[in-house]
Each structure stands twice: as C-alpha cells, then as structure tokens.
Amino acid sequence: MGERVFYITTPIYYVNADPHIGHAYTTIVADFLARWHRLAGYDTHFLTGTDEHGEKIAQAAQKNNEDPQAFVDRMSARFRDAWKKLNIEYDDFIRTTEQRHKKVVQQVLQKVYEAGDIYFGEYEGLYCVGCERFLTEKELVNGRCPDHGTVPEKRKEGNYFFRMEKYREWLRNYIMENPDFIRPEGYRNEVLSMLSEPVGDLSISRPRKRVPWGIPLPWDEEHVTYVWFDALLNYVSALDYPNGEKFDRYWVHAWHLIGKDILKPHAVFWPTMLKSAGIPIYKCLNVGGFLLGPDGKKMSKSLGNVVDPFALAEKYGPDVVRYYLLRDLPYGQDGAVGEAALVERYNADLANDLGNLLSRTVTMIDKFFGGYIPSPGLPEGPDHELIAQAEMLPDTVESLIRRLELTEALKAIWKFIGRANKYIDETAPWALAKDPSKKERLATVLYNLAEALRIISVHIWPAMPNIPGKIRGQLGISDESLFTWESVKRFGVLPAGLRIGEKKIIFPRIESTVELKTASKEEKSEGKKGSGEKAEFITIDEFAKVDLRVAEVLEASRIEGADKLLKLKVKIGDEERQIVAGIAKHYKPEELVGKKVVVVANLKPAKLRGVESQGMLLAASSKEKVVLVTVEGDIEPGAKVK
Ligand code: MSP
C-alpha cells in the first residue's frame, strides 16, 4: 500500500447564488471522506472554496447593483456560514479573488504560453453563460443548453487559445491505462467517447473591454483569463504551487469530487492544462449524480420541489441530514431526496436500530449491574459471531470507502447494528437475569453490547460527528484511545467497571405528517381536499375514466437505495410496462412473478426515486398491512376490470 496521504477537494462554488442542496451534498461527501481518512491515520487535507470570477458573477453583481468585489465577499461568506451549519471541517477555503490564487494563475499561464501552447485566434461559437463555456452543436438539445435550458449566445471575438487538442491522444491513453482515474465507470466511458473525436482547442481569454472581472493575462493586459482556466487552478494554488511544502506533500494524492455537469472541464480541460504546464496529474476524479426533488424531477423553484438542506439541518440536526444523504444516495447516481424520505430513514435506522440498541444496553447495565459495565467471561454461542463480525467491520468499511461506495459502507455498519440487536434477542438478557447462576453469562452479554456500541460509535463518526460523543457519554467512556481506528480492530479492549452516564433518548421517534410527494396530479387533488372541499359522490362517468386492467407480473426487483420500492415489469395485453410500487416491505420480488394483479393503466407516468413508473397497482391496506388485489381464474392480462 502507498503512503497514507489524502487530499480531497470539492468544486469551488459559483457565488452568483446561495448554497443549495447540490453544493451541500458534494461537500458532505468530501467531509465524510476527510473525516474517515483522518480517523484512519491518513495525513489529510480537505479543500473547498468559491469561484468568484467570470461573466456569470459579474452579471449577478450588476443585477444586484453591487461592486463585484463587495458582492463576492458577501456571497463567499454565506458559503462558509452554510458549511458551519452542516458541521463541515475543511482545512482550507480558497477564493479565486485571493492574491495567492491570482499569482499562480498568472504563473501557470506564462508557463503554458512559453511552452508554445497558447496562440491568438478568432473564435465563433455558441456560449452558455450558465455553464461559462462554449457548447458544441452535439451537446445542445433542441438548440438549448441541456443543463440551463437557455439558448446559447452566438459569440465571435479574438481570444487566446490553449492547444488542448494536442494532448488528446495522450489523455485518452492515460485514461485507458488508469482504470480508476475517473469513477464511476460510466463517466469514464463518457470521457473516452468525448476523446474519440477531436476536442478542439480551448479559448482561454476574454477581452477585458467586454468582461473586466477576471485575472489579466500576464503577456496581454487587454485580456482576462477565462473563468474555467482560472478556477481549475484553485486545486494547486491552494497548495502554494509550485514550491509549497503542501504541494509536494498532497498534490499527487488529490481526489476531486464533482457533479456530472462539470465533467468535461475536469476530465478534459484540467488534465491537459496540467500536462502542458508540466504538473503531475491528479489521482482521481469522482463524479456524483444529481439530487432530484421528492417527485423525482429536477429541482426548480417553479416546480416548488426544492429541498433546503439548511432548513432540514435546523429542524432535525446536521447529523441526520448528513446521514440521510450519504445513506440514501449511492454516489454517482441521480436520486430523489425529500423530507418524508429523511424521516423514514431516521425512524428506521436511527430511532429504531441504533437508538434501541443503545437504550436497551444502557437500561440493562443500569438495572442488572447497578450502572457499571460488567466484566465479561469467556465467549460462547452467539458471542463468537458477534465478535467475528465486529472484527471484520473496519476492513470491510475501509475498502468500501476507498472505492467510494459510501452507501454500502453505511449499510455494512448498520448490518452490524442489526446483528447486535439480534444478539440481544438471542441471548435474552432479561431471562438470564432471573437465574442467579447465569450472572456471569449476563455480564458477558452486556459487556459485549457495550463494546459493540463503542465500535459502532467510531464507525459512524465521519457521517455523524456529533452522535458518537453522546453514545460514549451514556456508556461512560472518555478515554480517547478507545476511539481510534486501530482500537476498533480488536474486540474486547473496553475496560470493565466504567460507570455509565445518564440515559437519554438520542433519537426520539418522529411521528411525521410529511407525505412523500409523487406525481403533480396527485398533489393537486391533495390540495383540493386540504382547502376544505368535502368528498362527494362521483358519477359513473368519472369512475369510467379510471382504466383498470388485469396485468401479469413478468419480473420484479428491488430498487437500490429505496427500501420500500419494487420495480415490476408487467404485461397488459400485448404491451409491457414498468411499474414502481411501494410494496417491498410486504412482498419479496420472487413471490410476485406470475401473479395477476390489477393496475390503473391510464395514470400519468411519474418517476419514483428517479425510476419511471407507468401505472399503479391496486392493494388493500390497513395499519401496517398491504395486500395486493389479485385476480383468480382464467383471464388474460389486459382484460378490463369494471
Ligand atoms: N464553479 C464551478 C466549479 C468550478 S470547480 C473548479 C461550478 N459551480 S456550481 O456552484 O455551479 O456547482 C458546483 C457543483 O454543484 C457542481 O459539481 C454541480 O454538479 C453541483 N450541483 C449543482 N446542482 C446539483 C444537484 N441538484 N445535485 C447534485 N449536485 C449538483 O460548477
């Protein structure tokens, strides 16, 4: 294994608007990774910051009637405040308007210029101010930018160009030879396909007359640096490139985290810039998906589906928001997020699984051993499995985290929590307590549970930095050496005899009234009810509008990251359809295949957790039970149900 050094970066965020959930998610992932690497003994450096030049920012300042510098100062501070609210502990915060950054941008430009990789030319192209880059015809959807929905502006002007095309073959080979350079693999393939055709040269300047807000080119004051060429260099300017100690120590270990919309600048512009400037290439680029609204649609103010992570953090605490986002969204995939899903995750994993384990353990130590952690005897029966799983956990979690499978890492920790809860059921301490000859056995069981909780508290710290302290407080553990990564690799290091602390419920159950939003049609009818309209009789014509059909289930599978949902392929007549149904807690996928169910066949398709559903199953439900409406007898799929 290589040196244990870790450098993690987030994109530097544009300060034209306030921080939102997309920024928060990436920064939480970075903070999780930084904390875990620090815990595991890596020399870690975590950089975030703000991107403060360019046309977009200049326009925003102007719209606000503010001087650009005053505007960016104010907005950049809002990002720093936001990160405090989510418990983000970065080592450095870079701003592209800082002198330390501007100096490096000019040095690198000069180097690339001297290498003969910059020339002056006339450029004509389609520019998207939202993306701050020229888009190719191929990238447009119906003549518009796919990310911003705007028609790009035609631009023709004299710009300096960077010979990016010159390095295309080199980059393509580099990516082919380094399979982990861009992750997940889908994005690596996307980049390889971009590089299979000419990428052209990159326009790297703007005339100062038109865009005065930027860093002047060192050899031509009439032009300022293009914002992406400027911004990407933050990753090295923050390390005091070229001769900083930090640069030498951290740079080659850099992991960049980005969103998929800024793949091209990071995967194509950036490595070729580095190559030309004679700077080694970063270690890896990690591409995250997009967070969607609770309805599975792109968040937008007009749809009213914007989820505010800071408001959620205020309501439920930052740790809950962090855990929810890390646990529910497999890194690299798009996924819907929302308050109802957060509450569901909270109740299941935190209030139930972890909260119960802690309160049961502390209560029993209090009741059966007067509040002192007892001394264990020799392990027997189910102890062996608990101990074996505990001792395997750190390695499992480590390898999942290093592969950026954060959801899986948290699942592994919760599997262990589940194991510990099951251990309570298997050993039935309350029964042991009734038999004085079983006192030692009871002591062993309760000791093992306290030790399991110590190990769990260390594992969850990177995701939920505030919670471990509370768990340790209740177990009465204060010795810091019991909270190192090394110390969790061995079961049984917790000293007996510690006095437990005051018992408190750390995750009270939330009896929520928030409902998961789905199709907008449903929302409207919900709204109606809310406004006081009474349920009335409906006419036969109204009923006839609902097209109910018999459907045969052909396939059924679980949906990654959505514990309640199953994805079904059903046959209705000659047609095959995909339906997402919230029945995973009640049916196993294999039980469903071959069943004839009843579906609403003319429901407007909707996306649930990002997966399209083209219909709805009928089911009877009461309290916790859900039973599907099925059809008995010889009737073909597609038959109408009246
Ligand atoms: N300033 C550039 C980055 C320069 S890095 C040298 C920029 N800034 S941004 O503020 O517009 O976006 C920052 C990041 O937020 C991008 O990685 C983008 O993908 C991410 N997100 C914006 N909306 C998002 C979601 N809804 N979901 C997840 N991430 C998204 O681009």
Side-chain angles (χ1 to χ4, degrees):
M1 234 206 240
E3 221 187 336
R4 286 172 88 84
V5 182
F6 184 64
Y7 177 34
I8 183 80
T9 70
T10 71
I12 48 171
Y13 303 114
Y14 284 132
V15 289
N16 60 316
D18 274 325
H20 59 63
I21 195 153
H23 304 137
Y25 173 63
T26 312
T27 312
I28 289 170
V29 171
D31 189 61
F32 172 89
L33 289 168
R35 283 176 188 270
W36 182 83
H37 281 85
R38 279 184 214 126
L39 176 67
Y42 282 75
D43 176 357
T44 298
H45 193 70
F46 169 15
L47 174 72
T48 187
T50 42
D51 191 351
E52 306 185 5
H53 288 128
E55 296 179 41
K56 180 146 92 172
I57 309 297
Q59 284 177 5
Q62 202 179 26
K63 217 168 134 194
N64 234 41
N65 269 328
E66 230 174 320
D67 159 67
Q69 189 63 52
F71 175 75
V72 299
D73 286 349
R74 188 169 60 75
M75 292 302 289
S76 175
R78 293 170 83 102
F79 279 83
R80 266 164 298 160
D81 287 346
W83 302 150
K84 268 192 222 135
K85 291 186 189 147
L86 292 176
N87 238 319
I88 305 294
E89 253 179 37
Y90 47 77
D91 294 295
D92 194 2
F93 188 101
I94 181 110
R95 301 181 53 194
T96 54
T97 51
E98 284 175 280
Q99 200 45 43
R100 62 170 173 156
H101 174 74
K102 294 194 219 170
K103 189 180 77 189
V104 173
V105 172
Q106 292 196 323
Q107 271 174 5
V108 172
L109 276 167
Q110 189 66 36
K111 220 171 158 186
V112 174
Y113 187 61
E114 281 167 16
D117 280 346
I118 289 177
Y119 62 94
F120 192 77
E122 181 85 1
Y123 193 78
E124 188 168 357
L126 296 167
Y127 195 76
C128 171
V129 177
C131 294
E132 288 278 24
R133 65 181 181 91
F134 286 100
L135 301 181
T136 60
E137 291 282 356
K138 229 174 136 183
E139 284 176 292
L140 303 182
V141 176
N142 298 329
R144 290 171 183 270
C145 162
D147 288 334
H148 297 91
T150 47
V151 178
E153 294 166 31
K154 224 183 193 125
R155 292 254 173 101
K156 188 176 172 182
E157 62 189 18
N159 287 170
Y160 284 93
F161 285 84
F162 163 56
R163 296 189 194 281
M164 189 159 75
E165 176 62 22
K166 175 175 159 188
Y167 296 102
R168 178 165 65 94
E169 263 319 298
W170 161 79
L171 179 58
R172 210 163 110 86
N173 291 334
Y174 186 87
I175 297 173
M176 297 215 273
E177 281 158 21
N178 294 276
D180 288 334
F181 180 58
I182 300 173
R183 315 185 285 188
E185 208 188 345
Y187 294 109
R188 175 176 183 262
N189 294 335
E190 203 175 311
V191 175
L192 283 173
S193 122
M194 276 180 217
L195 294 172
S196 65
E197 290 172 28
V199 289
D201 289 342
L202 181 67
S203 151
I204 54 142
S205 71
R206 299 290 177 265
R208 197 178 190 163
K209 280 202 206 90
R210 189 170 65 74
V211 188
W213 186 238
I215 304 174
L217 299 186
W219 64 88
D220 185 347
E221 290 265 312
E222 288 313 304
H223 292 262
V224 298
T225 314
Y226 164 51
V227 64
W228 270 107
F229 200 100
D230 163 349
L232 287 161
L233 284 163
N234 88 88
Y235 302 129
V236 296
S237 69
L239 298 179
D240 309 325
Y241 170 81
N243 35 27
E245 226 176 86
K246 279 194 275 183
F247 179 78
D248 295 340
R249 179 119 192 93
Y250 296 114
W251 174 242
V252 293
H253 303 280
W255 283 31
H256 294 318
L257 292 181
I258 60 161
K260 62 177 179 178
D261 56 328
I262 53 175
L263 180 62
K264 190 172 178 184
H266 281 84
V268 181
F269 304 177
W270 184 220
T272 54
M273 283 165 62
L274 289 166
K275 180 73 180 162
S276 167
I279 304 173
I281 311 307
Y282 55 83
K283 186 159 166 69
C284 59
L285 183 64
N286 304 284
V287 189
F290 256 55
L291 274 59
L292 307 169
D295 50 4
K297 294 187 185 140
K298 192 171 169 177
M299 283 187 210
S300 84
K301 288 200 181 113
S302 55
L303 283 179
N305 62 351
V306 176
V307 178
D308 178 355
F310 309 103
L312 289 175
E314 207 145 282
K315 189 162 170 190
Y316 301 104
D319 287 40
V320 173
V321 176
R322 293 168 62 109
Y323 175 70
Y324 163 65
L325 292 176
L326 292 165
R327 169 62 182 80
D328 267 37
L329 292 166
Y331 190 77
Q333 293 177 23
D334 289 358
V337 293
E339 186 170 356
L342 175 142
V343 168
E344 193 181 326
R345 176 63 64 203
Y346 170 96
N347 280 337
D349 293 11
L350 303 177
N352 279 1
D353 296 348
L354 180 55
N356 282 346
L357 179 63
L358 178 67
S359 72
R360 288 161 99 188
T361 304
V362 173
T363 306
M364 290 190 288
I365 293 175
D366 193 28
K367 195 162 161 200
F368 303 138
F369 290 94
Y372 290 91
I373 295 178
S375 188
L378 288 176
E380 57 180 75
D383 305 358
H384 293 291
E385 202 199 320
L386 182 81
I387 295 170
Q389 285 206 13
E391 290 188 339
M392 259 160 30
L393 190 61
D395 283 349
T396 307
V397 167
E398 170 155 10
S399 69
L400 289 168
I401 290 177
R402 292 287 293 171
R403 292 207 304 270
L404 232 106
E405 294 185 28
L406 310 184
T407 297
E408 293 304 314
L410 291 170
K411 276 192 200 163
I413 301 169
W414 257 259
K415 194 171 158 211
F416 180 64
I417 294 174
R419 185 71 202 77
N421 272 317
K422 193 165 156 223
Y423 175 78
I424 301 185
D425 302 336
E426 286 166 351
T427 53
W430 47 88
L432 297 173
K434 289 193 185 130
D435 181 348
S437 74
K438 299 274 170 61
K439 189 87 183 174
E440 187 179 306
R441 181 72 198 124
L442 179 63
T444 310
V445 168
L446 292 181
Y447 174 87
N448 286 347
L449 286 168
E451 176 63 334
L453 275 161
R454 176 188 71 90
I455 290 169
I456 291 162
S457 83
V458 177
H459 278 88
I460 65 173
W461 175 77
M464 294 192 287
N466 288 326
I467 303 302
K470 296 186 182 172
I471 297 178
R472 293 160 199 177
Q474 297 202 21
L475 291 171
I477 316 174
S478 56
D479 180 354
E480 287 294 318
S481 73
L482 294 171
F483 299 113
T484 60
W485 191 247
E486 275 315 301
S487 82
V488 294
K489 294 187 175 170
R490 259 194 51 224
F491 195 94
V493 301
L494 178 69
L498 294 175
R499 174 93 177 92
I500 59 167
E502 193 192 337
K503 192 189 148 200
K504 273 194 217 122
I505 304 288
I506 48 177
F507 300 114
R509 238 192 119 70
I510 301 169
E511 299 307 338
S512 160
T513 51
V514 209
E515 297 267 296
L516 193 76
K517 288 193 202 164
T518 51
S520 50
K521 213 170 169 184
E522 284 171 34
E523 271 170 40
K524 274 191 211 136
S525 61
E526 286 280 328
K528 254 189 173 176
K529 262 193 248 156
S531 63
E533 233 171 82
K534 261 214 304 215
E536 293 163 0
F537 290 114
I538 58 164
T539 64
I540 188 101
D541 288 346
E542 278 172 318
F543 173 69
K545 279 190 195 159
V546 185
D547 186 18
L548 296 174
R549 300 277 175 164
V550 174
E552 185 181 340
V553 181
L554 303 175
E555 288 168 20
S557 58
R558 298 193 175 278
I559 297 179
E560 179 70 34
D563 291 356
K564 281 192 158 180
L565 302 181
L566 289 184
K567 186 169 83 180
L568 312 181
K569 195 197 265 176
V570 301
K571 185 169 182 247
I572 306 176
D574 295 332
E575 199 191 338
E576 281 184 12
R577 290 222 201 155
Q578 173 168 298
I579 294 186
V580 177
I583 52 171
K585 296 253 156 84
H586 311 279
Y587 288 89
K588 292 203 184 86
E590 57 276 16
E591 280 176 65
L592 293 170
V593 176
K595 271 200 176 17
K596 284 192 192 133
V597 294
V598 177
V599 301
V600 181
N602 61 342
L603 193 68
K604 185 174 164 191
K607 275 199 175 163
L608 297 172
R609 296 299 182 92
V611 184
E612 172 146 303
S613 182
Q614 303 151 332
M616 191 168 81
L617 303 189
L618 295 194
S621 75
S622 105
K623 292 194 190 119
E624 305 269 270
K625 262 198 222 157
V626 172
V627 177
L628 283 175
V629 175
T630 54
V631 182
E632 305 244 310
D634 186 18
I635 185 112
E636 76 285 356
K640 223 169 160 24
V641 179
K642 295 195 252 191

